[in-house]
């Protein structure tokens, strides 16, 4: 099969069955794996890295810092043994409401029965009464409001989650009608109130404590800011990080989980370094028929802003099954293909209703796996399966059309650097380059290249910079390299510390030779390949095309 065959072409269906050729870069789309009980040993983490996980997520909704530290220590061992870089994401708890079941006894709730939600944590959880960690629920809800409770997945359809309707507010207690029979098991269940403002800070005191201790100790690369509702949430988090040593470099990804965050999406996107679309909670807050419109619109905006878009909840069934459902497999592929193959009617609808003056260009940078790897029975197989689906979808993505539309959307607002890097992508498309080599110290140039979704991998050669705090000398570069691991198509490599960003041109040529030799040694650069190089020489950025000899 042609590695970049468009679906509009005369493609024989029998060719779909041809086995895929092995590649050093199995997929350009990145995979974020949540590490937990089923995926925290050195062996499993090593296999997850080999399967395609490039960022490890640590979810502080459960588990203490000692537990997560042990897991992270195992990750460091796995990274060293596999020689694969991996970014570290800290996922905050935020204003998450929880039902507390101290005795962890299963709680059966029957359809058409009543249950009371109370802030009195001294009481035990029963089928008639559920203690919650929030004293303000009674003032936030009213009769007829919808509440969902579940441990991992809650849509009102599973037997492990429940859909409630508020019937009465009695002091601090909220009386609800149970809409479906379910059995809740475990210590904690998440409680989600549909389309209701919860008067709690986005970055809680508990979050700040975890970041100040565990986050600082481990120099986290990315902070996933749960329940981001306003741009001010991101600004507040950034100000907090700026006072914590090296964490001023930590990127903030706004996690959009409810209608409030959706309403302020444009302002949030402007402030955040990336966006995570938490489709589980959004699937509850939004009518089902609106979910796909939101996803397409939000990812489109991220694409055009050149900021990573991360999509969650794609293969829930793999938590307990070895294969995804047909719908899930298609869902993963659509996250990759929508940019080129959204139907004309949907494009017109998005233009008219949701995205004025634009077209439907939608492509996720990364897939985030939550329960599938956290507690799932097949974490390695899940990562591998998602990676294979992404790789197949990437083969039929219309890169040329995407590039033209992205350039047209950017218009005259392009910066000098973006103009140069977009030219590098165009050159790579025209000459069918095998890779783009980008030399960068901050990562900005590589991210601009990635914005235009080139057909080829972007090898981001991170050139270190020497800095001092008046007490010691240190080199930058490690943060920038790991943070690019969540951006579609970028594969970083660290240049030798002797090759600093301010070095002479002769040194730059030396780094280029090292990068090319690295590519040849690993098989992704071959004799007679064309390679596009984007680098800064003095005060000027240069794009050049190399045709390699034997």
């Amino acid at each position: 099969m042609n590695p970049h065959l468009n679906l509009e072409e005369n493609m024989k269906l029998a060719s779909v069955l041809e086995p895929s050729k092995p590649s050093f870069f199995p997929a350009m789309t990145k995979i974020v794996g949540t590490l937990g009980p089923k995926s925290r040993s050195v062996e499993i983490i090593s296999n997850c890295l080999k399967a395609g996980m490039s960022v490890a997520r640590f979810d502080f909704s459960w588990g203490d810092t000692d537990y997560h530290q042990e897991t992270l220590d195992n990750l460091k061992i796995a990274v060293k043994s596999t020689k694969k870089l991996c970014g570290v994401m800290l996922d905050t708890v935020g204003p998450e409401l929880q039902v507390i079941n101290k005795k962890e006894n299963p709680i059966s709730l029957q359809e058409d029965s009543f249950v009371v939600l109370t802030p009195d944590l001294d009481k035990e959880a029963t089928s008639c009464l559920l203690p919650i960690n929030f004293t303000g629920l009674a003032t936030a809800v009213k009769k007829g409001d919808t509440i969902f409770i579940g441990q991992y997945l809650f849509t009102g359809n599973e037997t492990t989650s429940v859909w409630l309707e508020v019937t009465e507010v009695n002091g601090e207690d909220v009386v609800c009608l149970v809409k479906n029979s379910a059995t809740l098991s475990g210590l904690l269940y998440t409680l989600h109130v549909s389309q209701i403002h919860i008067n709690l800070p986005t970055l809680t005191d508990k979050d700040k404590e975890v970041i100040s201790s565990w986050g600082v100790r481990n120099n986290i690369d990315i902070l996933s800011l749960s329940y981001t509702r306003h741009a001010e949430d991101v600004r507040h988090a950034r100000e907090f990080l700026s006072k914590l040593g090296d964490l001023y470099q930590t990127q903030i990804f706004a996690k959009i989980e409810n209608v409030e965050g959706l309403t302020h999406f444009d302002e949030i996107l402007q402030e955040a370094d990336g966006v995570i679309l938490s489709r589980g909670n959004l699937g509850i807050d939004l009518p089902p028929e609106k979910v796909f419109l939101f996803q397409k619109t939000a990812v489109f905006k991220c694409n055009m802003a050149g900021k990573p878009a991360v999509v969650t909840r794609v293969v829930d069934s793999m938590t307990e099954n070895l294969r995804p459902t047909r719908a899930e497999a298609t869902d993963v592929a659509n996250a990759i293909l929508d940019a080129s193959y959204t139907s004309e009617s949907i494009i017109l609808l998005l233009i008219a209703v949701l995205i004025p003056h634009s077209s439907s260009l939608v492509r996720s940078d990364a897939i985030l796996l939550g329960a599938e790897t956290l507690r799932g029975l097949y974490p390695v197989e899940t990562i591998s399966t998602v990676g294979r689906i992404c790789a197949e979808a990437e083969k039929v993505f219309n890169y040329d059309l995407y590039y033209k539309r992205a350039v047209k959307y950017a218009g005259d607002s392009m910066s000098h650097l973006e103009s140069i890097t977009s030219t590098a992508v165009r050159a790579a498309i025209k000459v069918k380059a095998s890779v783009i080599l980008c030399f960068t110290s901050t990562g900005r140039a590589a991210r601009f290249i990635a914005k235009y979704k080139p057909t080829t991998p972007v090898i981001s050669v991170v050139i270190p910079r020497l800095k001092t705090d008046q007490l010691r000398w240190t080199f930058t570069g490690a943060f920038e390299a790991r943070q690019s691991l969540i951006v579609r198509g970028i594969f970083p490599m660290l240049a030798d510390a002797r090759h600093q960003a301010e070095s002479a041109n002769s040194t730059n040529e030396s780094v280029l030779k090292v990068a090319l030799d690295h590519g040849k040694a690993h098989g992704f650069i071959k004799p007679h390949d064309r390679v596009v190089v984007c680098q800064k020489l003095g005060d000027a950025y240069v794009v050049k095309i190399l045709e390699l000899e034997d």
Side-chain angles (χ1 to χ4, degrees):
M1 181 186 289
N2 184 331
H4 298 297
L5 181 64
N6 295 328
L7 291 181
E8 291 96 337
E9 297 176 12
N10 186 20
M11 175 177 165
K12 293 182 179 180
L13 288 179
S15 67
V16 173
L17 302 177
E18 295 177 6
S20 300
K21 295 180 180 179
S23 170
F24 184 79
F25 303 107
M28 307 271 260
T29 307
K30 303 301 179 65
I31 299 175
V32 181
T34 305
L35 301 186
K38 298 293 185 180
S39 54
R40 65 191 302 260
S41 69
V42 173
E43 180 184 4
I44 294 296
I45 296 174
S46 297
N47 289 334
C48 287
L49 291 171
K50 293 174 184 176
M53 180 181 76
S54 61
V55 176
R57 171 176 172 257
F58 293 81
D59 184 0
F60 277 83
S61 294
W62 63 276
D64 58 24
T65 53
D66 290 339
Y67 182 91
H68 289 298
Q69 187 62 51
E70 183 180 338
T71 305
L72 181 53
D73 290 342
N74 288 343
L75 172 64
K76 292 176 180 177
I77 296 171
V79 166
K80 189 174 182 179
S81 66
T82 61
K83 296 182 180 180
K84 290 184 178 292
L85 278 177
C86 185
V88 173
M89 175 187 287
L90 188 161
D91 200 320
T92 63
V93 178
E96 182 175 88
L97 307 187
Q98 296 176 337
V99 176
I100 311 299
N101 179 18
K102 293 179 181 178
K103 290 191 174 181
E104 299 188 43
N105 294 325
I107 299 172
S108 295
L109 300 174
Q110 298 300 316
E111 185 177 350
D112 292 332
S113 64
F114 290 89
V115 65
V116 176
L117 306 179
T118 179
D120 188 349
L121 297 180
D122 292 330
K123 295 182 178 179
E124 293 183 7
T126 68
S127 58
C128 298
L129 186 141
L130 298 175
I132 62 173
N133 66 343
F134 180 47
T135 57
L137 185 64
T139 59
V141 300
K142 62 184 183 302
K143 183 177 179 179
D145 284 342
T146 301
I147 297 175
F148 293 87
I149 296 175
Q151 189 176 19
Y152 297 103
L153 313 175
F154 43 108
T155 68
N157 293 325
E158 300 94 5
T159 58
T160 57
S161 61
V162 66
W163 171 26
L164 307 176
E165 182 181 321
V166 176
T167 59
E168 181 185 354
V169 175
N170 185 8
E172 290 189 326
D173 294 345
V174 176
V175 182
C176 300
L177 175 67
V178 179
K179 303 294 286 186
N180 67 290
S181 298
T183 299
L184 306 178
S185 60
L187 176 64
L188 298 173
Y189 327 114
T190 301
L191 182 148
H192 185 89
V193 186
S194 183
Q195 299 195 23
I196 298 295
H197 173 74
I198 299 300
N199 191 23
L200 287 172
T202 300
L203 195 65
T204 66
D205 290 341
K206 179 183 176 183
D207 292 328
K208 290 180 178 179
E209 182 182 342
V210 168
I211 295 168
S212 300
S213 55
W214 193 88
V216 170
R217 176 181 175 184
N218 296 292
N219 280 338
I220 57 170
D221 303 304
I222 299 168
L223 180 72
S224 169
L225 190 60
S226 296
Y227 294 95
T228 302
R229 294 165 287 183
H230 301 270
E232 183 57 34
D233 296 338
V234 181
R235 288 192 287 267
H236 174 68
R238 201 176 299 283
E239 181 183 3
F240 178 71
L241 291 176
S242 70
K243 301 173 183 176
L244 298 176
D246 286 341
L247 293 199
Y248 76 91
Q249 302 173 84
T250 298
Q251 291 191 342
I252 299 174
F253 276 50
K255 198 174 182 186
I256 308 299
E257 309 199 46
N258 53 31
V259 166
E260 198 170 355
L262 184 157
T263 304
H264 303 102
F265 186 86
D266 288 350
E267 308 94 86
I268 291 170
L269 178 61
Q270 192 170 1
E271 292 291 334
D273 297 298
V275 170
I276 299 173
L277 304 179
S278 182
R279 301 195 307 172
N281 288 340
L282 284 168
I284 292 167
D285 244 25
L286 291 170
E289 66 274 15
K290 298 291 186 182
V291 174
F292 85 101
L293 288 175
F294 163 74
Q295 178 178 325
K296 289 176 184 291
T297 309
V299 179
F300 167 83
K301 288 175 178 288
C302 291
N303 287 170
M304 296 302 101
K307 295 186 178 183
V310 183
V311 172
T312 71
R313 302 294 291 273
V314 291
V315 286
D316 290 342
S317 71
M318 289 196 75
T319 303
E320 296 177 346
N321 298 289
L322 194 54
R323 288 169 61 92
T325 66
R326 295 183 300 277
E328 288 172 338
T330 303
D331 190 26
V332 175
N334 280 337
I336 311 303
L337 288 177
D338 279 343
S340 295
Y341 301 112
T342 304
S343 70
E344 188 66 26
S345 59
I346 295 299
I347 290 177
L348 292 173
L349 178 60
L350 289 169
I351 293 173
V353 181
L354 297 169
I355 320 175
H357 315 302
S358 67
S359 58
S360 181
L361 304 177
V362 182
R363 182 162 194 173
S364 304
D365 284 77
I367 303 295
L368 190 153
L369 302 173
E372 300 100 321
T373 55
L374 171 79
R375 67 178 181 93
L377 302 179
Y378 309 101
V380 177
E381 292 84 354
T382 300
I383 292 170
S384 179
T385 298
V386 170
R388 290 197 306 273
I389 295 171
C390 290
E392 289 297 318
E394 288 163 2
K395 291 177 183 178
V396 293
F397 182 80
N398 194 327
Y399 294 93
D400 189 53
L401 178 60
Y402 181 96
Y403 175 85
K404 291 175 181 176
R405 288 179 173 176
V407 169
K408 183 178 179 181
Y409 185 90
D412 297 331
S413 63
M414 271 192 197
S415 65
H416 176 66
L417 178 58
E418 183 171 358
S419 178
I420 293 293
T421 51
S422 65
T423 300
V425 174
R426 186 60 178 167
I429 293 173
K430 285 294 185 183
V431 304
K432 296 181 171 57
S434 58
V435 296
I436 299 174
L437 285 178
C438 177
F439 293 82
T440 179
S441 57
T442 64
R444 287 183 65 235
R447 287 195 296 273
F448 269 130
I449 290 175
K451 172 181 176 179
Y452 289 91
K453 307 294 186 276
T455 58
T456 58
V458 180
I459 309 303
S460 174
V461 184
V462 182
I463 311 294
R465 287 180 179 271
L466 189 63
K467 67 172 186 175
T468 179
D469 60 2
Q470 311 303 321
L471 295 175
R472 62 193 176 104
W473 294 98
T474 56
F475 283 104
T476 65
F479 262 105
E480 290 81 0
R482 292 192 300 266
Q483 287 168 344
S484 67
L485 290 166
I486 202 168
V487 183
R488 180 259 178 214
I490 297 182
F491 300 91
M493 63 174 284
L494 289 168
D496 192 296
R498 291 170 294 181
H499 299 146
Q500 294 177 43
E502 292 81 8
S503 299
N505 291 354
S506 60
T507 304
N508 287 328
E509 292 302 316
S510 175
V511 179
L512 174 57
K513 183 179 184 306
V514 170
L516 290 173
D517 288 344
H518 174 77
K520 293 173 184 176
H522 288 85
F524 58 84
I525 297 178
K526 299 179 177 63
H528 306 295
D529 275 359
R530 293 188 178 101
V531 175
V532 172
V533 180
C534 181
Q535 64 183 137
K536 189 175 183 181
L537 297 178
D539 294 328
Y541 282 95
V542 175
V543 174
K544 56 187 178 182
I545 301 169
L546 305 179
E547 186 159 357
L548 304 183
E549 299 175 354
D550 289 335

